[in-house]
Each structure stands twice: as structure tokens, then as C-alpha cells.
Amino acid sequence: MADTTATASNETVATTDDGIRRRDFLDIAAVGTAAVGGAAVLLPLVSQMAPSKDVLAASSTEVDVSAIEPGQAIKAVFRKQPLFVRRLTPAEVQAANAAPVSSLRDPETLEERTKEGHADMLVTMGVCTHLGCVPLGAAEGEVKGEFGGYFCPCHGSHYDTAGRIRKGPAPTNLEVPEYEFTSDTVIQVG
Amino acid sequence: MSFPWAREYNPSNGFTRFLDEKLPLPRLMYNAVGAGYPVPRNLSYFWNFGVLAGFFLVVQIVTGVVLAMHYAANAQVAFATTEHIMRDVNWGWLMRYAHANGASFFFIVVYLHIFRGFFYSSYKAPREMIWLLGVTIFLLMMATAFMGYVLPWGQMSFWGAKVITGLFGAIPLVGEPIQVWLLGGFAPDNAALNRFFSLHFLLPFVIAGVVILHIWALHIPGSSNPTGVEIKTESDTVPFHPYYTAKDGFGLGVALLLFFAMVFFLPNALGHPDNYIEANPLSTPAHIVPEWYFWPFYAILRAFTVDFLFVPAKLMGVIAMFASILLWFFLPWLDKSPVRSGHYRPLFRKIFWFGLIPAMIVLFICGGAPAEEPYVMLSQIATAYYFLHFLVILPIVSSVEKPEPLPYSITEAVLGSDKKAVLGENTTPAV
């Protein structure tokens, strides 16, 4: 009986009108602090897997494109991934411009994908936009696919002479990285 | 659970009596895999594959720990240290071939284990939890095997890592950050190789933990059996030891003969020759395929070639591939038939042997073939059937089918009639 009275009187003291005790705030504060502490432990454990400083420090790359003849392409390395630099032949430029842009999966003209005054110099990442394989077609004698550009052997994506996706599972055109001509024969990527 | 007629553990000497009082581990083993665990008397050889899967998990852990003593997870030297193991480490060639082929055998026995479960509906009540834990183990196995295959840093290793992490890149918005986080860079490199090594070491121990839960969950209702009829009396069972320890031992002997025939005489038959070429980030092999045990799921991934509504083909393929396995989690609730065993389900038998199995074989072949016609079309048809089978055909079949008469008991199924069975069981001492 004495117990009941004590409890009852405690409650009268600590309970507000809507039945919440002041003590409930302690519970929320304690659990909340533990949750924040847990998240603070989790953050570095997750974040350590993100690219480290040396990987992020990957600098820009300069490529000398003077030796590339029309119809040839070279593979360079940019941020540990292949970079295709290709000098298109007039026929390839014509084929790229002949394709009706609106019918493409990822509509872009050849002009939008090259620099002014260098409409025949196509610079793209050599990374298939599907799952990241290196498409064939840059080196001599490799299959260029049904559209005369690149063909990805992994899952059969076909790119045209402007590196645009025309057939297969890849969703977008080969990425054109940020680059500029530092002189007539040298490009700086990144 | 223990059946009332299960034999009781009796510590025979002072030491076992001491242990039984302080830490009754021998009692636990006796009741789990010893004479104290009654098991249906009619289990066929299809019930051997659980023990075999456990055995190959041990093979992988033991050979894996040994290989890790000689392997260096650094892109500069990973390929070379693998060759060092092959040429210079005592018995290194045996350890590496046993580990590589051990992975294949692990998947062979697990696939047979899973399809045993499909045919005899081992996933049905009261065994749903065993099934769910099993699917979890399978997913962990696939992740572990994938990361293990990256370690030698050959061409298939590198491009497999690129493509499989690329799967996560297909997720809208967060996909690319997740891929970069997984790789620790923008393409597979040292960071990726290093963490895959760490996780490849960790995950088998997680698998071992889930296996313990899997076995625990199994021991609550006890094993299913080829009739699907639950245990009724003592005559339906025999003690696990010595009857099934002996039968599993025989199965293990056969499996080991096949395993070492492969390891000694055909060690590279199940591998891909391109993985003997060191990783080249600038050139993808013309025909890149995953290991054979991923082929059916790889075929499902590649079957989606056109965009569907607002979902790009790439994402569709990724969703379908993960869904094809996650679907198994819902199997106990998709198959409503009260009859477990396929033996007594005429319609189910037809869709199993003439539907699911051919579809899996087609997917398997297409997954290993180049992404060209007719393989693309075939894998599209097989993928469509695969999903129809589990989501539509199986639920319909299980509700409209008229099952064949079931035997009254396991004993009747074995001996023909209960009367004979009772007479036959008189020789078994009641303990």
C-alpha cells in the first residue's frame, strides 16, 4: 500500500498533462546520444573505402596527337582508364553527320562532341557506358561494329564513327572528357 | 527438436561426466549429428549434398588460409605471387588448384542441394527459415567467389571486377558513387584488389556462422524426406550415427574421387585461359565471361537489351539478375500446395522437368556464349520462362493440381504396408 502511494505521488510530480514523464526525456536523450555515437563510429568505417587522397590526386594528362593519321586512333591513359583519340576520315565524318540525330538513343551531333576547328578529332573515354569494358575498334584490325565506330565485346554494344551508342545494352554515348587543345597538336585532358 | 524416442547421451567416464556438467559440448554433438538425432530412414543420395557443401566450405577455408600465407594483394605483384605459389611454394600448385576447383565443386554440390530443395519443396512449412538462411548462404557464396576470382589479377579477374562493380553503377543517382566507393577509385586498381582480399578472407567465416544457423534451424523440424510425409513414429527414423554418417561418408568418398580427378588431371578445365594473362586495364579480352557457376544469372543480366518504360536496359538487367535470386526468398509463399514432394505432384513434376530445368540449362549455355544471336534471343525466352515459372506457373499449378495419393507414413513408403513395417521394426531395440 505504501508503495502504491509513493509511486502515485512520484507520478503526480513528474507527469505532465498528456502522460509524458520528465524521465522519458532522459531515455530519448540517452538513446539519441548512443545513436549519434554509433553513426560517428560507422562513418569512418564506411568512408575509408572511398577513393584515398593519392587516387583523387590523379592529374590531367597531355596527349600529342600529331602522329595520328586520318582513320587511325590511339589509346592513352587518363585516370587509369583508356582514352581514345581518333582522327576521322572525311567518309567517317560524313557517316556521323548523315545519321538523323533525333533517332539516336543519346542524341548528340558530331559537332557537339568535338572542338571547333577540329571536327575530325574525336576524343572519348574508351569505357563502354554499359558496364565499363574497353570497346574494340581503336587498334588496327579490330572489329569496329555495325556502325564503323567501336564494338564492345562484353555485351555487344555498337558505337558509330562519332562514338555514339547505336545498338546494344549501353545507355549513353562514349563519354567525351573535359579537354582542350593547348596547341595544334597537343591536347590536355582533365 | 528432439523426438521422444531419440537416444539420450550417457557420459561413460569421469572426464565426459565432468564435461557434461561444466560445458556439455559432447552432448550437443551427440544430439546434433550423433546417435541422438533421429533422421527419416528413406533419405536418398540427394540428401548427401548438405554435408558435401559443408565439407567443401572447410576445404576452401583451409586451402584459402594456406594460400594467403604466400599471396600478396598488390596489383604490382599479385599475379607474380600466384605464379610463385604454383612454382616455388611446397605443394603450392596443389593448394591453388584445390582452392580453385574447390570453388567449382562447392557450387556443384550447392546447386544440387538447391534443386533437391526445389523438387521436394524442402522450403515449405515448417522449414521456411532453413530455406531463407540457405538463400543467404548462396548470396554470400557468390560474393565470396567473385572476390576470390579477382585476386590472381589476370585479365578475367580485372574485367570481372570492372563489370560486376559496374552493376551497382546502374542504380539511379547513387549508383556511380557506390561503384567508386566499392572500387576505391574510378577503375579497379590496388585499392580494389586490397579490399577484395580482406573481404574474401572475412566472408567465409560469415558463411560458416550462417551455416551454423542453417543447421540449427534444420534440427528443429528435422530433415525433410523424399515422400514429404512428416515423421510419425520411431519406425520412420534411424539414428543419424552410424546410419547417415556412413552414407554421407560414402558420398564424400565419391565426391573426393571426382574432385581429385579434376585437381590432378583437369585442373584448368573449369577455368578460363585468359586469366593466365596479366590484367591489362587498356584492353578487354574479346570474349569475357564469368566463372561457369555464374552463367545462368549472367545470361539473365544480358537478356535485357531494350529500354522498358522509364527503366534503361542496363538497370533492367541488373534488377532482373538480383531479382532472379531474391525471388527464392519468397518461394515458401509462392508454392501453396500442401503436398511437399514432387513425387506425388503430377503437374509440378512436368513444369519442373520440362520447364524449369530446360530453362536453367538454356540460361547456363547462353551465359557462357558470346552476346550474339541466337543466344540473346534464347536467353530472353529462358529468362521470361524463369520468372513466369516462379511468379505465375508455380502458384497456379500448386492451387489447381490434384496430387497423387500419399503414403500414410515414411515406413509405409519404404516397406509397402504399416503391418509389415511394425513387424520389421521389432528387431530395433527400444532405447
Side-chain angles (χ1 to χ4, degrees):
Chain A
M1 273 299 120
D3 272 3
T4 342
T5 325
T7 317
S9 69
N10 264 349
E11 274 175 4
T12 338
V13 173
T15 310
T16 57
D17 294 342
D18 44 2
I20 300 166
R21 295 174 306 150
R22 288 167 64 101
R23 189 161 283 233
D24 289 343
F25 177 74
L26 277 182
D27 291 351
I28 293 166
V31 173
T33 308
V36 171
V41 172
L42 215 57
L43 178 73
L45 286 177
V46 170
S47 160
Q48 52 83 21
M49 276 174 69
S52 53
K53 297 292 182 287
D54 60 322
V55 172
L56 288 176
S59 59
S60 53
T61 306
E62 283 203 341
V63 184
D64 182 356
V65 298
S66 59
I68 311 171
E69 297 289 330
Q72 283 186 337
I74 60 164
K75 282 184 194 175
V77 183
F78 173 57
R79 293 182 183 162
K80 304 235 170 179
Q81 298 187 83
L83 177 81
F84 290 168
V85 184
R86 166 179 270 202
R87 194 185 289 277
L88 303 171
T89 61
E92 285 172 333
V93 173
Q94 211 179 359
N97 288 330
V101 173
S102 56
S103 70
L104 299 177
R105 186 178 295 171
D106 184 8
E108 254 185 320
T109 61
L110 178 63
E111 234 165 68
E112 287 165 350
R113 293 173 60 74
T114 51
K115 297 287 176 206
E116 218 180 321
H118 299 277
D120 62 339
M121 188 61 75
L122 181 68
V123 181
T124 61
M125 295 305 296
V127 180
C128 181
T129 55
H130 182 221
L131 292 172
C133 293
V134 180
L136 301 173
E140 202 118 349
E142 282 180 354
V143 205
K144 290 178 190 262
E146 286 175 24
F147 297 90
Y150 299 103
F151 170 70
C152 182
C154 286
H155 305 97
S157 290
H158 297 258
Y159 297 89
D160 66 10
T161 50
R164 295 175 298 197
I165 181 66
R166 298 294 286 271
K167 193 181 167 190
T172 55
N173 301 335
L174 290 182
E175 188 197 339
V176 176
E178 233 175 82
Y179 74 96
E180 58 185 17
F181 280 85
T182 50
S183 76
D184 262 2
T185 57
V186 177
I187 60 168
Q188 183 181 335
V189 191
Chain B
M1 131 165 184
S2 195
F3 296 102
W5 59 86
R7 292 190 195 172
E8 213 193 316
Y9 176 65
N10 252 327
S12 53
N13 58 42
F15 176 67
T16 49
R17 269 193 297 278
F18 171 84
L19 260 187
D20 202 45
E21 276 172 24
K22 317 295 173 194
L23 184 69
L25 267 181
R27 180 182 289 274
L28 180 75
M29 295 310 288
Y30 186 90
N31 291 334
V33 290
Y37 179 48
V39 185
R41 62 192 288 174
N42 62 336
L43 299 189
S44 69
Y45 278 110
F46 278 108
W47 267 258
N48 273 35
F49 295 103
V51 164
L52 292 180
F55 173 77
F56 280 108
L57 175 64
V58 172
V59 169
Q60 292 308 85
I61 289 178
V62 171
T63 54
V65 167
V66 166
L67 289 172
M69 292 181 186
H70 306 279
Y71 167 84
N74 181 301
Q76 302 289 320
V77 294
F79 192 81
T81 55
T82 311
E83 284 307 304
H84 159 75
I85 290 170
M86 295 296 287
R87 290 153 204 265
D88 300 334
V89 174
N90 294 335
W91 299 99
W93 61 271
L94 176 65
M95 293 299 158
R96 175 161 184 246
Y97 279 151
H99 195 70
N101 285 282
S104 282
F105 271 73
F106 198 175
F107 274 97
I108 291 171
V109 297
V110 163
Y111 277 130
L112 289 166
H113 193 59
I114 292 172
F115 278 87
R116 191 287 314 274
F118 281 154
F119 185 79
Y120 294 102
S121 315
S122 299
Y123 45 77
K124 272 185 199 159
R127 296 187 180 79
E128 301 97 321
M129 189 52 77
I130 311 169
W131 179 258
L132 301 183
L133 289 165
V135 179
T136 307
I137 293 171
F138 184 63
L139 289 170
L140 286 168
M141 270 179 72
M142 293 178 92
T144 310
F146 157 64
M147 288 191 276
Y149 194 54
V150 172
L151 301 184
W153 212 239
Q155 273 287 67
M156 285 295 160
S157 302
F158 182 92
W159 292 102
K162 179 112 193 198
V163 168
I164 302 296
T165 55
L167 298 180
F168 294 91
I171 303 167
L173 300 176
V174 293
E176 234 147 287
I178 290 180
Q179 186 186 358
V180 169
W181 176 74
L182 286 171
L183 287 173
F186 304 98
D189 200 13
N190 227 4
L193 177 60
N194 227 180
R195 70 192 50 184
F196 282 7
F197 176 65
S198 180
L199 295 173
H200 184 67
F201 211 117
L202 167 73
L203 285 185
F205 297 99
V206 179
I207 292 177
V210 185
V211 165
I212 289 172
L213 298 181
H214 190 62
I215 297 171
W216 185 5
L218 169 71
H219 281 68
I220 292 169
S223 288
S224 69
N225 70 86
T227 66
V229 175
E230 288 295 322
I231 292 166
K232 290 193 171 74
T233 59
E234 184 177 1
S235 70
D236 290 342
T237 64
V238 289
F240 190 86
H241 180 76
Y243 296 98
Y244 284 112
T245 41
K247 187 168 181 171
D248 284 333
F250 175 74
L252 181 61
V254 173
L256 281 174
L257 282 176
L258 294 171
F259 177 58
F260 281 107
M262 289 295 293
V263 169
F264 290 145
F265 302 109
L266 296 159
N268 290 308
L270 296 171
H272 199 291
D274 274 17
N275 221 28
Y276 281 106
I277 302 169
E278 197 166 356
N280 177 359
L282 294 189
S283 167
T284 311
H287 180 201
I288 167 170
V289 283
E291 287 280 77
W292 69 265
Y293 37 77
F294 292 139
W295 285 355
F297 306 105
Y298 194 59
I300 291 175
L301 167 76
R302 294 197 299 188
F304 291 82
T305 50
V306 286
D307 296 0
F308 180 74
L309 296 177
F310 299 104
V311 189
K314 178 175 163 182
L315 179 60
M316 277 303 288
V318 173
I319 293 172
M321 187 188 69
F322 283 109
S324 67
I325 298 171
L326 296 180
L327 190 59
W328 297 356
F329 279 118
F330 301 95
L331 203 46
W333 297 278
L334 289 169
D335 182 358
K336 293 271 185 206
S337 170
V339 175
R340 289 196 190 87
S341 173
H343 275 314
Y344 306 102
R345 301 180 60 190
L347 266 182
F348 172 85
R349 258 198 326 261
K350 283 200 183 74
I351 62 161
F352 182 83
W353 289 115
F354 302 110
L356 183 63
I357 296 290
M360 288 306 288
I361 292 171
V362 169
L363 285 175
F364 176 77
I365 292 168
C366 291
E372 317 167 334
E373 295 299 349
Y375 301 112
V376 175
M377 203 231 320
L378 283 174
S379 55
Q380 284 166 343
I381 296 169
T383 301
Y385 180 81
Y386 180 91
F387 283 100
L388 274 178
H389 178 92
F390 286 111
L391 293 173
V392 180
I393 300 174
L394 186 62
I396 291 176
V397 162
S398 62
S399 61
V400 303
E401 153 183 81
K402 191 171 180 295
E404 288 158 6
L406 293 169
Y408 168 73
S409 69
I410 293 172
T411 308
E412 185 191 298
V414 174
L415 296 175
S417 85
D418 268 312
K419 200 169 178 213
K420 245 158 92 190
V422 171
L423 291 173
E425 280 307 307
N426 280 346
T427 47
T428 309
V431 182

